[in-house]
């Protein structure tokens, strides 16, 4: 800025009409502003994400068809690691504009997240017995990274074409 001011002063002393630079400066400012609009939106988005903590590192989120764990929140982008070992880079402005689902967190505390395991059996298998056996089997042996509460439960979702659709 100091060099620019010094150059304008030198030009004015040598007889150059400095007022002629004003329209050019305004156009140049508008062009630079439009060119940086998306970048500035991403920077402001990154700042607001870090200040309001609506999304935090290690949160599991779903945005624009991508689901994964937030591994980094930078000024320009947020990195999401998927279960397929991919890293999705989402610009912060896009993250703020999209419908965002934060999974497994309530009132700023981590909470268990329910996942469904679906399976099918022939229609003639008694549903009450199937549900009791599946619940007994899953409760008998604790699984790694599976919460003990709330307890898992099974249910009969539907009956279609001789097949019973269950969910655990």
């Amino acid at each position: 800025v100091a060099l620019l001011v010094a150059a304008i002063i030198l030009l004015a002393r040598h007889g150059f009409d400095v007022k002629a630079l004003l329209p050019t400066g305004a156009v140049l400012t508008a062009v630079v502003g439009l060119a940086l609009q998306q970048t500035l939106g991403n920077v402001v988005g990154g700042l607001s994400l870090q200040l309001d903590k609506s999304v935090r590192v290690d949160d599991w989120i779903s945005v624009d068809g991508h689901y994964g764990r937030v591994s980094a929140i930078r000024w320009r982008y947020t990195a999401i690691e998927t279960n397929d070992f991919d890293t999705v880079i989402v610009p912060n402005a896009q993250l703020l504009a999209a419908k965002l689902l934060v999974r497994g967190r309530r009132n700023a505390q981590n909470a268990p997240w329910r996942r469904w395991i679906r399976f099918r059996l022939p229609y003639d298998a008694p549903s009450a017995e199937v549900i009791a056996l599946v619940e007994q089997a899953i409760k008998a042996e604790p699984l790694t990274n599976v919460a003990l509460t709330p307890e898992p439960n099974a249910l009969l979702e539907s009956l279609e074409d001789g097949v019973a659709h269950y969910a655990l």
Side-chain angles (χ1 to χ4, degrees):
V1 172
L3 288 174
L4 185 61
V5 170
I8 291 173
I9 291 172
L10 283 173
L11 289 173
R13 286 188 181 171
H14 286 57
F16 186 77
D17 184 15
V18 180
K19 293 177 186 174
L21 292 177
L22 290 178
T24 306
V27 170
L28 185 62
T29 302
V31 168
V32 170
L34 288 174
L36 292 177
Q37 182 178 8
Q38 191 171 19
T39 302
L40 290 173
N42 288 331
V43 169
V44 170
L47 286 173
S48 67
L49 283 173
Q50 291 179 1
L51 290 175
D52 73 3
K53 298 193 186 294
S54 57
V55 176
R56 296 181 293 213
V57 173
D58 289 332
D59 278 349
W60 286 84
I61 66 171
S62 180
V63 61
D64 291 338
H66 299 290
Y67 170 71
R69 185 184 68 81
V70 175
S71 60
I73 300 174
R74 303 283 186 243
W75 283 36
R76 193 182 64 77
Y77 66 88
T78 297
I80 302 168
E81 294 177 351
T82 69
N83 287 335
D84 297 329
F85 297 99
D86 295 329
T87 300
V88 180
I89 304 295
V90 181
N92 288 328
Q94 181 181 345
L95 189 68
L96 288 175
K99 181 179 177 183
L100 179 69
L101 176 63
V102 179
R103 295 186 179 258
R105 181 165 39 102
R106 290 187 182 166
N107 298 327
Q109 295 181 0
N110 287 336
W113 173 49
R114 179 173 289 226
R115 293 188 186 196
W116 291 99
I117 301 169
R118 290 181 167 76
F119 59 97
R120 298 177 296 192
L121 289 173
Y123 178 75
D124 57 354
S127 60
E129 287 181 32
V130 170
I131 290 171
L133 284 171
V134 169
E135 287 181 353
Q136 179 184 359
I138 197 72
K139 292 174 187 175
E141 188 71 31
L143 299 173
T144 306
N145 296 324
V146 175
L148 299 175
T149 57
E151 288 187 356
N153 62 322
L155 56 92
L156 174 63
E157 287 187 314
S158 66
L159 300 169
E160 298 174 12
D161 300 326
V163 178
H165 296 262
Y166 294 90
L168 170 65

